[in-house]
Amino acid sequence: MQEKLSFKKGYRGRTIFRIVNVVFLIFVMILMIVPILKILSDSLDTAGTYGLNIIPKNPSFLAYKTIFTTTALYRPFLISIYTTVVGTAIALLLTTFGAYVLIQKDMPGRKFFVWMIFFTMIFNGGLVPTYLLIRNIKLINTLWAVILPLALNVYNMVLMKNFFEQIPESLFEAAEIDGCSPMRIFWTIVLPLSKPALASIGLFFAVEYWNHFFNFVMYITDTSKYNFQIKLRELVLDSQNLAPGAEAIYGRTIQYAAVLVSMLPPMIVYPFCQKYFVQGVTMGAVKE
Amino acid sequence: MFAKTQRNNLTQGTAVVPKKKDLVRRIIQYKYFYLMFLPVFIFTIVFNYIPMAGIRFAFYKYNPFAPPKFIGWENFKTLLVNPKFIAAFKNTITLSIVNLVLGMLVSIIFALLLNELYNKYFKSFVQTVLYLPHFISWVVTASIFYLILSPTDGFINQILGFFGIEPIYFMIEEKWWTPIYYFINRWKETGWGTIIYLAALSGINPELYEAAVIDGAGRLKQTWYVTIPGIMSTILVVFILNLAKVMNIFESVFVLQNPMVLNVSEVIRTYNYKVGLLQSDYGYSTAVGLFNSVISMVLVIIADKASQKIKGSGIL
């Protein structure tokens, strides 16, 4: 399909379209990136003018220094890292265990388990009963209230199951004949063979945990247990600056810098695992 | 898998093994798997099924100083005539549906445009940039746009000021909030939405295009008669999948709304949060949640049936 750009008769319309298309897409990319660039530039701007410039006037890392030296600001950052690491580990364990069990075709009761898990996708108790449950099992104001409910994700479990199903069954049979126990097969064959799946689904969970805020809104009232997203809400949105002249405690530059800091981890990780994400999204959704 | 060898051994014997014994044997054989499933089982019961039992609260009246009183369908009667609930219901449907239709249109157009790029590196670069905002959380997205649209020192109002236009209060004026809401959603999810269509596009048989060229179809005609029909089933599937999620609209609204624009931005789930957790009206708000869950459930089941018709497999 590769054609050369040419203005010969018959190719003209095509060529013009291709040039316009590229120009348009570049324009859209700029539109996407400008808000982020503007935030970046203003976070480095100590002049505090926040004008029309994209290049900061007096660049300095003062705001970032403030974030990483003020306990009230870096503590949420550490909480975010903690919930992400612990949550992703628990979530992956649950997801792989569940998926491994669900591919056992001859297992008595498997159908019931499948049905039981799928039904949670269709119907749930809702916000208040869930809140009351967390309250009754004494998880209010603990980070477990944030971590545990997110750890079981049916959709991700189904993705994992689809990955596991691609492992040739002869491998299992061979291992079985060699006298491997199911657990051993799981640790020595299934997991090593599904590294891409573990990476991609692990990243789904990690991004989910890093970006999560609502469980904090619901279950956490102790401000020392806030994660970075909630802190950011406090910094930017709660002092919404709806009225002119209203200034947040830390000033604008810190707000800009905080936005950048909270975006950073997903941004760094994302380009490396783009193909896994894409694979995850398209799996099972496109007609073969 | 594990049962196979075992069962072969069983049937090689002379006597026929009774079924019941076989089942017990298989259960014993799979004991490790039951053990592995235990954590998943416990999580599901605790975090999904116990709250489901909590929907009985919808039929009680709670007040702080007395035990809960059973009142039957009273809460539902209250909510169906509550103007706030009706407004929230309308907003849920409006914001969701418009967002869904806009989202699909824009994503399909971009998928088609990306599909016309021949330089592989440029194409993947554009894709990377377009996917980027999807990974930015809603809180951060809201923060970015609140800062940029700020009437005092926001970038957009600076530009308007340059042309001598008075600052616009984008986030607190109802007529601005809704279009801004749609725009932010597009900014965040357009690229991500193209993935599935691009996958469908790459699956179209190239011979169809060759045949179309031989029949004298130009690029536009090829798009119209080959490309669009080729991704039509994907479009339909995405549409019904999203339709099943219409009632779930929450996070994006929650972070972008503020007291000034409640009329256009209050959706059922944000309303539910306010009456449930901020006003502690547990009975009534459980009823609101249940109402939402039931509609969601019906939509998911309809979507599943439709999906079975279109692609031969359900969504579940």
Side-chain angles (χ1 to χ4, degrees):
Chain A
M1 287 291 281
Q2 182 73 33
E3 308 169 33
K4 281 217 161 59
L5 281 177
S6 84
F7 282 95
K8 278 208 190 92
K9 209 172 157 54
Y11 288 102
R12 205 164 296 161
R14 188 80 204 95
T15 305
I16 289 171
F17 168 78
R18 282 176 61 183
I19 292 169
V20 170
N21 187 14
V22 168
V23 171
F24 173 71
L25 285 173
I26 290 175
F27 170 75
V28 171
M29 278 199 291
I30 292 170
L31 194 74
M32 292 266 175
I33 289 294
V34 157
I36 300 172
L37 279 185
K38 185 62 190 157
I39 299 276
L40 173 66
S41 124
D42 286 348
S43 72
L44 298 169
D45 195 337
T46 44
T49 45
Y50 316 124
L52 292 175
N53 54 318
I54 277 285
I55 313 289
K57 286 197 178 95
N58 298 329
S60 92
F61 285 97
L62 193 69
Y64 292 93
K65 226 169 123 179
T66 314
I67 286 181
F68 286 107
T69 50
T70 313
T71 318
L73 292 171
Y74 72 70
R75 204 186 143 79
F77 193 78
L78 295 177
I79 299 265
S80 271
I81 292 173
Y82 173 80
T83 50
T84 302
V85 171
V86 174
T88 305
I90 294 175
L92 273 182
L93 212 67
L94 278 176
T95 309
T96 48
F97 274 25
Y100 185 47
V101 171
L102 293 183
I103 58 167
Q104 307 302 325
K105 291 199 174 51
D106 286 330
M107 180 174 168
R110 173 177 158 269
K111 271 220 160 68
F112 169 75
F113 292 147
V114 170
W115 184 89
M116 168 184 157
I117 287 174
F118 276 159
F119 185 70
T120 62
M121 272 172 116
I122 305 176
F123 190 76
N124 59 47
L127 184 105
V128 175
T130 309
Y131 171 80
L132 293 174
L133 164 87
I134 299 284
R135 204 174 71 177
N136 291 340
I137 55 178
K138 302 275 179 290
L139 289 182
I140 295 286
N141 252 333
T142 64
L143 289 177
W144 294 116
V146 178
I147 292 172
L148 297 179
L150 290 180
L152 190 74
N153 182 319
V154 182
Y155 182 74
N156 287 348
M157 201 182 279
V158 173
L159 277 183
M160 192 64 94
K161 176 177 154 279
N162 290 346
F163 270 110
F164 285 175
E165 274 170 345
Q166 290 167 357
I167 299 170
E169 219 167 289
S170 52
L171 275 177
F172 292 114
E173 280 161 18
E176 211 185 320
I177 289 163
D178 290 344
C180 277
S181 70
M183 269 295 189
R184 187 145 172 224
I185 289 180
F186 178 73
W187 292 113
T188 58
I189 295 177
V190 176
L191 288 190
L193 280 176
S194 0
K195 271 190 199 126
L198 291 174
S200 64
I201 290 167
L203 281 160
F204 283 146
F205 275 120
V207 170
E208 170 75 28
Y209 274 107
W210 183 268
N211 285 345
H212 196 78
F213 81 103
F214 189 64
N215 282 359
F216 284 91
V217 173
M218 289 245 286
Y219 307 124
I220 310 272
T221 49
D222 176 0
T223 50
S224 71
K225 290 201 173 83
Y226 279 179
N227 77 342
F228 210 85
Q229 305 286 338
I230 294 284
K231 192 72 206 169
L232 195 68
R233 245 183 99 74
E234 224 181 37
L235 273 181
V236 181
L237 299 184
D238 292 351
S239 62
Q240 261 159 6
N241 313 303
L242 297 175
E247 268 289 272
I249 314 163
Y250 291 104
R252 276 279 201 232
T253 314
I254 301 281
Q255 295 180 357
Y256 289 125
V259 169
L260 250 294
V261 168
S262 66
M263 264 169 44
L264 231 50
M267 294 294 110
I268 292 168
V269 175
Y270 152 68
F272 293 106
C273 56
Q274 192 180 327
K275 68 168 192 281
Y276 295 138
F277 275 119
V278 170
Q279 212 178 354
V281 171
T282 48
M283 215 163 181
V286 180
K287 200 171 169 182
E288 292 301 326
Chain B
M1 236 152 51
F2 282 89
K4 227 181 255 165
T5 44
Q6 185 71 20
R7 251 193 298 180
N8 288 348
N9 298 344
L10 289 173
T11 45
Q12 272 164 12
T14 42
V16 176
V17 182
K19 254 211 150 119
K20 204 162 192 158
K21 223 174 183 170
D22 193 27
L23 182 71
V24 173
R25 227 179 246 262
R26 272 168 56 209
I27 288 177
I28 290 166
Q29 224 175 4
Y30 277 102
K31 58 183 181 289
Y32 290 114
F33 290 103
Y34 292 109
L35 197 68
M36 278 177 98
F37 198 72
L38 195 63
V40 180
F41 188 80
I42 291 171
F43 262 75
T44 313
I45 294 289
V46 172
F47 292 110
N48 291 303
Y49 285 93
I50 294 179
M52 275 184 214
I55 60 181
R56 68 178 186 279
F57 306 144
F59 303 95
Y60 286 84
K61 176 117 195 89
Y62 275 80
N63 80 50
F65 311 107
K69 190 166 116 245
F70 183 81
I71 51 167
W73 294 95
E74 209 55 47
N75 282 324
F76 293 93
K77 284 175 189 154
T78 318
L79 76 89
L80 286 174
V81 293
N82 185 334
K84 275 191 167 166
F85 174 81
I86 294 164
F89 186 77
K90 274 189 189 146
N91 287 335
T92 303
I93 301 292
T94 317
L95 291 175
S96 265
I97 299 278
V98 173
N99 210 3
L100 163 62
V101 173
L102 268 181
M104 285 185 70
L105 266 178
V106 177
S107 284
I108 291 167
I109 289 166
F110 273 92
L112 291 174
L113 292 180
L114 282 168
N115 206 37
E116 294 292 331
L117 293 176
Y118 290 116
N119 186 327
K120 242 204 197 127
Y121 300 102
F122 181 67
K123 185 177 169 183
S124 65
F125 175 67
V126 178
Q127 280 172 298
T128 305
V129 173
L130 291 185
Y131 298 165
L132 202 69
H134 174 80
F135 293 92
I136 298 172
S137 76
W138 270 112
V139 176
V140 176
T141 306
S143 307
I144 290 175
F145 282 94
Y146 263 108
L147 291 169
I148 282 185
L149 297 169
S150 153
T152 44
D153 50 14
F155 191 42
I156 301 296
N157 275 314
Q158 300 261 9
I159 294 174
L160 293 178
F162 185 77
F163 292 109
I165 300 168
E166 285 294 300
I168 297 171
Y169 291 68
F170 286 105
M171 297 311 259
I172 56 172
E173 275 185 42
E174 283 177 9
K175 68 167 197 272
W176 282 106
W177 190 90
T178 318
I180 292 283
Y181 174 78
Y182 296 137
F183 175 81
I184 293 175
N185 268 281
R186 285 310 96 233
W187 177 83
K188 195 169 178 310
E189 300 300 337
T190 292
W192 198 246
T194 59
I195 293 178
I196 198 153
Y197 303 114
L198 284 168
L201 285 169
S202 66
I204 295 174
N205 187 347
E207 282 174 18
L208 292 174
Y209 287 110
E210 283 158 30
V213 170
I214 290 165
D215 288 346
R219 297 293 304 190
L220 272 179
K221 279 224 162 111
Q222 284 173 38
T223 304
W224 189 249
Y225 290 105
V226 179
T227 314
I228 304 276
I231 60 171
M232 206 60 211
S233 69
T234 303
I235 292 175
L236 279 173
V237 169
V238 172
F239 181 70
I240 52 179
L241 282 181
N242 287 330
L243 215 49
K245 291 188 237 162
V246 157
M247 304 306 281
N248 297 356
I249 181 170
F250 174 67
E251 202 177 0
S252 53
V253 175
F254 187 79
V255 293
L256 289 168
Q257 73 173 184
N258 55 66
M260 309 289 289
V261 288
L262 284 187
N263 286 338
V264 293
S265 72
E266 191 78 299
V267 295
I268 291 185
R269 286 181 63 189
T270 53
Y271 174 69
N272 190 9
Y273 166 75
K274 279 165 200 162
V275 290
L277 295 187
L278 303 183
Q279 299 162 19
S280 297
D281 190 348
Y282 295 145
Y284 175 73
S285 60
T286 304
V288 173
L290 181 60
F291 185 89
N292 209 27
S293 293
V294 169
I295 293 180
S296 267
M297 186 164 123
V298 171
L299 285 173
V300 171
I301 291 166
I302 292 172
D304 186 55
K305 290 273 176 292
S307 149
Q308 267 169 353
K309 266 210 160 60
I310 294 165
K311 61 168 195 170
S313 63
I315 57 174
L316 299 173

